Amino acid sequence: MRIITGKFRGRRFDVPRTFKARPTTDFAKENIFNVLMGYIDFDGARALDLFSGTGSITLELLSRGCSQVVSVELDRDHHRFIQQCLNSLAPDPASQAGLAIRGDVFKFVKSCHQQFDFIFADPPYALEKLPQIPDLIFENDLLAPDGVFVFEHGKANDFSQHPRLVDHREYGSVNFSLFR
């Protein structure tokens, strides 16, 4: 896993082979971040990374200058890996802006009282509750005004009729729906 750009550009992290999570490919990650440059300035932004998996997006957001990145991951081993990655960036002050929370995303979303400029969610594609996630984000008022929510999902899901959808991108089997 590699950080594509920013202050930690080129840093690599070896994801354990036992992990079930599939990190967003470099190709898809690079392309979606290129699209996002037209939507948001990451410098100083507050970000939330849901279903963080390997922490690839969390690390990318910190590298791009986010002032705060909250990473939520339920799996104990994945959470520990994300925390180790964040610790490896120390003593750089930017790494201190990263907070890894081990917990259920659905419980976190319902109890969180903070708004974020950028939210990224990459749930398991087979997750039964996957179609409900965009509405949960908006019902719980997690997205700041003018914020952007990026939802990574498989081709089986279609959010084209969602009233908050502003863009959709497809890179191979990876789909990104962008909401505002």
Side-chain angles (χ1 to χ4, degrees), residues 48-100:
L48 175 62
D49 182 10
L50 300 172
F51 304 96
S52 301
T54 62
S56 172
I57 298 298
T58 293
L59 298 171
E60 192 70 39
L61 291 166
L62 286 170
S63 185
R64 290 171 184 259
C66 286
S67 64
Q68 177 191 32
V69 181
V70 177
S71 171
V72 183
E73 173 56 46
L74 181 61
D75 185 276
R76 180 191 68 225
D77 294 333
H78 294 203
H79 171 264
R80 185 180 309 125
F81 178 75
I82 294 166
Q83 192 61 58
Q84 289 171 347
C85 291
L86 291 172
N87 291 344
S88 78
L89 299 178
D92 192 295
S95 67
Q96 296 169 8
L99 172 65

Side-chain angles (χ1 to χ4, degrees), residues 2-137:
R2 168 178 78 92
I3 297 176
I4 294 171
T5 197
K7 91 182 295 174
F8 302 122
R9 178 183 182 169
R11 292 283 304 265
R12 292 185 179 276
F13 300 89
D14 293 324
V15 178
R17 293 177 189 224
T18 57
F19 274 21
K20 298 167 277 209
R22 44 156 180 73
T24 303
T25 65
D26 282 356
F27 174 76
K29 186 167 55 170
E30 188 167 3
N31 279 292
I32 195 61
F33 273 98
N34 285 340
V35 169
L36 288 169
M37 298 306 289
Y39 286 95
I40 187 169
D41 179 6
F42 290 106
D43 193 36
R46 295 159 297 154
L48 175 62
D49 182 10
L50 300 172
F51 304 96
S52 301
T54 62
S56 172
I57 298 298
T58 293
L59 298 171
E60 192 70 39
L61 291 166
L62 286 170
S63 185
R64 290 171 184 259
C66 286
S67 64
Q68 177 191 32
V69 181
V70 177
S71 171
V72 183
E73 173 56 46
L74 181 61
D75 185 276
R76 180 191 68 225
D77 294 333
H78 294 203
H79 171 264
R80 185 180 309 125
F81 178 75
I82 294 166
Q83 192 61 58
Q84 289 171 347
C85 291
L86 291 172
N87 291 344
S88 78
L89 299 178
D92 192 295
S95 67
Q96 296 169 8
L99 172 65
I101 295 174
R102 181 173 175 240
D104 179 87
V105 164
F106 295 97
K107 289 179 182 176
F108 176 85
V109 166
K110 290 178 181 175
S111 66
C112 183
H113 301 292
Q114 180 180 355
Q115 287 191 323
F116 298 90
D117 304 303
F118 180 75
I119 300 173
F120 187 92
D122 179 12
Y125 290 0
L127 184 69
E128 188 176 313
K129 295 181 180 179
L130 185 145
Q132 303 167 18
I133 294 170
D135 288 333
L136 285 172
I137 297 297

